[in-house]
Amino acid sequence: MAFDFKKEYREFYLPPAKPGLVEIPPMDFIAVRGRGDPNEPGGEYQRAMGLLYGVAFTIKMSKLGARPIKGYFDYVVPPLEGFWWMRDGGAMDYSRKEELCWVSLIRLPDFVSRGDFEWALGEAARKKKQDFSPVEFLPYAEGLCVQCMHIGSYDDEPATLEDMEEFAAQQGYALDITPERYHHEIYLSDPRKVPPERRRTVLRVPVRRK
């Protein structure tokens, strides 16, 4: 059976629908940076999805090719994730999506080295005859965070985020969003198939001791 990160690391991908503290270990990702409204048809965000999944599935299907990856095991491609912030550096404002900046991410299995990533980048570009240079190998050490499962529309996230900030304060912590530590979302529902009121999104914000 293929290794499923969501099931094996439930504390990171399937938290309860109430805030809790979690220490996130360092992970490696494939990533594409951009800005603007993620809902814009054919926009920058939509193009980033094609690049991310092109590389992700090149790595997953490497087991069928001529270049074996050392330590490879069969796995389910992890869910799409995103780091988000406002262009002006202010608090998240869901009414100004055109001012959003983002890094879209997919987690890499630990056996994937930077060299394996570079190979996959070239292989995807060769097969799809497309420029994959915007895709980067991104190590990220997230550290201590408050996280919660948000159920509902993305536009309804502010209420959940308020609960998370209140919980952090009660535990003696303050939000610690900086240019290096981000508002983080993990998308467990396919918005093409799941109605807004039923979508599950892991919300995660970094914190520090007051």
Side-chain angles (χ1 to χ4, degrees), residues 54-119:
V55 175
F57 279 98
T58 297
I59 293 171
K60 175 176 170 57
M61 302 311 296
S62 64
K63 62 183 179 180
L64 302 178
R67 186 191 184 280
I69 295 178
K70 184 178 180 181
Y72 181 96
F73 54 81
D74 195 21
Y75 64 98
V76 178
V77 172
L80 178 69
E81 309 187 30
F83 299 149
W84 297 88
W85 67 97
M86 301 303 297
R87 189 180 303 186
D88 61 9
M92 289 292 292
D93 184 348
Y94 293 77
S95 68
R96 295 190 294 129
K97 293 185 175 65
E98 70 281 358
E99 296 297 319
L100 287 169
C101 298
W102 41 264
V103 183
S104 290
L105 314 140
I106 297 176
R107 182 180 179 176
L108 286 169
D110 292 342
F111 62 74
V112 178
S113 69
R114 189 179 291 269
D116 297 323
F117 164 81
E118 295 292 347
W119 164 81

Side-chain angles (χ1 to χ4, degrees), residues 177-188:
I177 294 176
T178 71
E180 292 78 36
R181 304 189 77 199
Y182 307 98
H183 169 99
H184 187 172
E185 302 184 2
I186 303 175
Y187 307 104
L188 302 181

